[in-house]
Amino acid sequence: MAQVPQRFFDALAVRTWCGLSLRGLGRAREEIDAINVYPVADGDTGTNLYLTVESAFAAVEAVFAAHEVDGAVRDAGEGARDAGEGALNADGGPSLADAVGAMAHGALIGARGNSGTILAQLLRGMAQVLAARGDSGHTEGAGLRLALRHAAASARQAVAHPVEGTVLTVASAAADAAEEAGGGCAEVARAAYEGARAALVATPGQLPVLERAGVVDAGGHGLVTVLAALVETFTGRAPGPVTVPHARVEHGGEGPAAGECATEGDESGPAFEVIYLLEAEDAAVARLRQRLDALGDSLVVVGGDGLWNVHVHVDDAGAAVEAGVEAGRPYRIRITHFGHGDAHTTGTERPPRERAQRAVVAVVPGEGLAELCTEAGATTVLARPGEPPASGELVQAVRRAHAREVVLLPNDAELRHTAAAAAEQARTEGIRVALIPTRSAVQGIAALAVHEPERRFDEDVVAMTSAAGATRHAEVTVAERQSWTTAGICQAGDVLGLIDGDVAVIGADVSEVAATVLDRMLSAGGELVTLVLGDEAPQAVADRLEARVRDAYLAVDTVVYRGGRQGALLLVGVE
């Protein structure tokens, strides 16, 4: 089906571009992974680019969703009876600045790997120009030309030691071609795509490691895919498929041989990839760049305005993290060892460990629950407030569980489609996956409590599904903005009590709202109450609820856990 073309670069064009980029990278992911030989032949560039764009797309969708809610609230305030009237604000929805800002921020916090981090900076560079020129709500060809040029320049500045024949070369070629193009956004986008594709084909002649492997640069291939989506956004038609050389087959395997040079003339390379988000001032980040540059290679630091994404390959992962601590506050730290089968192995390592028969993968909203579920034998994926995991992260967790059969617990109603996509992907890799549609972490806890790996898989899934379904769930949280709810209009700062996903109570006191929620849930019966307190919830709330259960519901037991930074003040489960 042909895409409806966008004439100008406005918020809707941003949304369309991100969606088409995600779809394109989803189709090209395996091909890009297969040709990934530089800077490390770890076969994940396509996946990392997909995850980065998925995060950007989710952020843009959230901006549009917020405008839909705000429009509904305004309708309600004006006496409208149908809160669903008008999908967008009266002014047509989010501004161009809102949309590109969300795109850049989403890419920044979701960036994965070397190429994903560079792509995040490319998108940030474009966003800076587009936001500045979008006072009228959109920009045209001239603005897109400037955005592509600034993107290429800012990406080069983010890389400690730029290398030609990489995504940086492809980005520069796209910007050069765009500057020569006349006309509007469609003409500029097509010129940028054609220039990037020509540069991509030439990358093996610029980087010997690519020439030896018989492939083009994987990150550059990903960028060409993203630019193809930009062409489709403005023309309604996707350009022809990107035809590139594939990795040659060696040693009976597909793709570049393990041990292919990680960097020119260096077949060993650092042992770890370290990535983290960092809250820090500009001056501290400048010092951090110098220190990390001395520790390893493939250093890319992107971001600004106090929030950065740091990527580096090092032998001393602890020192890289400590450098971040000295610069500011690092978090979402990921350390990956370049282990068996990647560019730094010699072929003498022990064979892969045997797969377990069954495992559970659970998404959890805080460190406390992550520890609890890990102790119960589950592989966990941490979902921080406002940062839901992408489908690729769930697929990676399923792979990490290293089992023939996997039970997947999303523990969030909004993750059902993400989890379904991850389960489908894992099934194509030969893993038997059962998705239990848990809507809250307390349902996940109930399911995990009855998990018995010695049972037949189907029996285990039925038992876990039954336990989850028998657990009613609620949460107590604080409203971030004025909004229309099923219990009426709430104001920013109000305490909300949600039962089974719907707002049931609006109040001013956490303990009072929590007690009301608990009474309503227990009015239908129950034998066990599970309370999960967030970091910002005082212990007194749990103490009061425990006392209330003891005094008013004699046959009901209570268990309390500390969830950590889970977003909600309190999670409640009643079985």
Side-chain angles (χ1 to χ4, degrees):
M1 181 181 295
Q3 175 69 35
V4 176
Q6 304 296 316
R7 181 179 177 187
F8 303 114
F9 210 136
D10 58 8
L12 185 57
V14 175
R15 186 185 201 182
T16 302
W17 181 34
C18 288
L20 291 173
S21 295
L22 187 63
R23 186 177 70 182
L25 286 170
R27 292 171 174 170
R29 180 186 61 81
E30 291 185 0
E31 179 182 5
I32 296 173
D33 281 346
I35 63 172
N36 173 201
V37 299
Y38 182 87
V40 175
D42 49 357
D44 63 358
T45 291
T47 299
N48 288 336
L49 290 169
Y50 179 87
L51 292 175
T52 302
V53 173
E54 186 176 42
S55 181
F57 179 60
V60 173
E61 287 296 297
V63 167
F64 274 84
H67 275 263
E68 291 172 6
V69 171
D70 289 344
V73 171
R74 274 198 302 276
D75 287 346
E78 294 169 0
R81 291 292 178 261
D82 183 1
E85 282 183 9
L88 298 173
N89 279 342
D91 62 3
S95 67
L96 175 60
D98 289 338
V100 295
M103 173 187 71
H105 180 73
L108 177 67
I109 65 173
R112 301 290 191 277
N114 189 71
S115 293
T117 308
I118 293 173
L119 178 61
Q121 188 67 5
L122 287 166
L123 296 179
R124 177 180 172 82
M126 290 189 69
Q128 289 172 327
V129 172
L130 294 173
R133 294 178 61 89
D135 292 340
S136 63
H138 68 268
T139 190
E140 301 185 19
L144 180 53
R145 281 192 290 271
L146 289 174
L148 290 167
R149 171 54 63 200
H150 185 64
S154 61
R156 279 188 177 270
Q157 292 171 359
V159 177
H161 301 284
V163 175
E164 297 305 327
T166 65
V167 63
L168 298 177
T169 305
V170 176
S172 295
D176 291 343
E179 285 185 344
E180 298 297 322
C185 290
E187 290 77 15
V188 172
R190 184 170 291 281
Y193 167 77
E194 295 293 349
R197 187 169 67 167
L200 176 65
V201 173
T203 54
Q206 297 171 293
L207 199 57
V209 65
L210 300 179
E211 187 174 27
R212 288 196 297 273
V215 299
V216 296
D217 180 66
H221 187 349
L223 178 57
V224 170
T225 303
V226 170
L227 291 173
L230 188 64
V231 173
E232 186 174 0
T233 298
F234 293 116
T235 67
R237 289 182 172 276
V242 181
T243 303
V244 297
H246 290 267
R248 64 173 181 260
V249 177
E250 292 187 2
H251 305 293
E254 189 171 323
E260 200 97 41
C261 295
T263 56
E264 177 68 3
D266 179 6
E267 297 188 359
S268 56
F272 297 96
E273 178 184 59
V274 178
I275 306 174
Y276 50 79
L277 292 178
L278 177 69
E279 294 178 356
E281 299 298 326
D282 290 4
V285 172
R287 293 191 295 271
L288 174 66
R289 289 178 192 269
Q290 294 179 347
R291 180 168 178 188
L292 292 179
D293 193 25
L295 287 175
D297 60 30
S298 297
L299 173 61
V300 186
V301 181
V302 304
D305 301 321
L307 180 63
W308 309 82
N309 190 307
V310 179
H311 169 280
V312 67
H313 294 172
V314 294
D315 282 320
D316 190 344
V321 175
E322 288 172 6
V325 173
E326 292 179 6
R329 186 179 80 87
Y331 61 102
R332 292 187 69 178
I333 301 168
R334 299 182 184 87
I335 299 174
T336 302
H337 181 255
F338 294 126
H340 180 83
D342 63 32
H344 301 150
T345 59
T346 63
T348 60
E349 285 77 7
R350 64 179 182 273
R353 63 186 173 91
E354 180 69 19
R355 284 184 180 273
Q357 181 60 34
R358 188 174 310 156
V360 176
V361 172
V363 180
V364 289
E367 297 89 342
L369 286 182
E371 183 176 352
L372 175 69
C373 292
T374 300
E375 290 176 353
T379 298
T380 60
V381 179
L382 190 60
R384 297 198 181 278
E387 301 174 6
S391 62
E393 290 180 87
L394 300 187
V395 173
Q396 290 178 345
V398 171
R399 293 169 181 156
R400 194 168 67 247
H402 204 62
R404 299 182 181 88
E405 303 167 339
V406 172
V407 180
L408 180 57
L409 305 174
N411 294 335
D412 187 335
E414 295 186 1
L415 287 178
R416 62 187 184 279
H417 296 306
T418 302
E424 188 62 31
Q425 173 62 37
R427 291 181 189 119
T428 66
E429 299 176 10
I431 304 172
R432 189 181 184 188
V433 181
L435 171 61
I436 298 179
T438 47
R439 300 167 59 86
S440 170
V442 292
Q443 290 187 324
I445 293 172
L448 195 55
V450 301
H451 168 55
E452 290 186 15
E454 301 306 318
R455 277 192 297 224
R456 290 179 55 249
F457 184 62
D458 292 340
E459 293 176 353
D460 199 27
V461 171
V462 168
M464 295 176 72
T465 302
S466 178
T471 303
R472 301 189 302 282
H473 62 94
E475 68 176 85
V476 177
T477 189
V478 176
E480 296 182 354
R481 62 173 69 89
Q482 183 190 58
S483 183
W484 177 266
T485 77
T486 51
I489 296 178
C490 69
Q491 305 297 323
D494 283 349
V495 180
L496 307 180
L498 290 81
I499 299 178
D500 292 331
D502 294 323
V503 177
V505 183
I506 301 175
D509 181 78
V510 175
S511 294
E512 290 293 338
V513 170
T516 302
V517 166
L518 185 58
D519 284 340
R520 292 192 185 184
M521 296 181 74
L522 287 173
S523 66
E527 300 176 353
L528 175 66
V529 171
T530 301
L531 304 174
V532 183
L533 268 69
D535 272 353
E536 298 181 2
Q539 181 63 39
V541 173
D543 295 340
R544 176 177 175 177
L545 295 180
E546 283 190 285
R548 189 176 188 84
V549 172
R550 283 197 305 270
D551 296 340
Y553 306 96
L554 300 181
V556 179
D557 294 325
T558 305
V559 60
V560 180
Y561 301 110
R562 273 285 176 183
R565 291 176 290 175
Q566 62 185 23
L569 296 173
L570 176 70
L571 301 178
V572 183
V574 174
E575 302 175 47

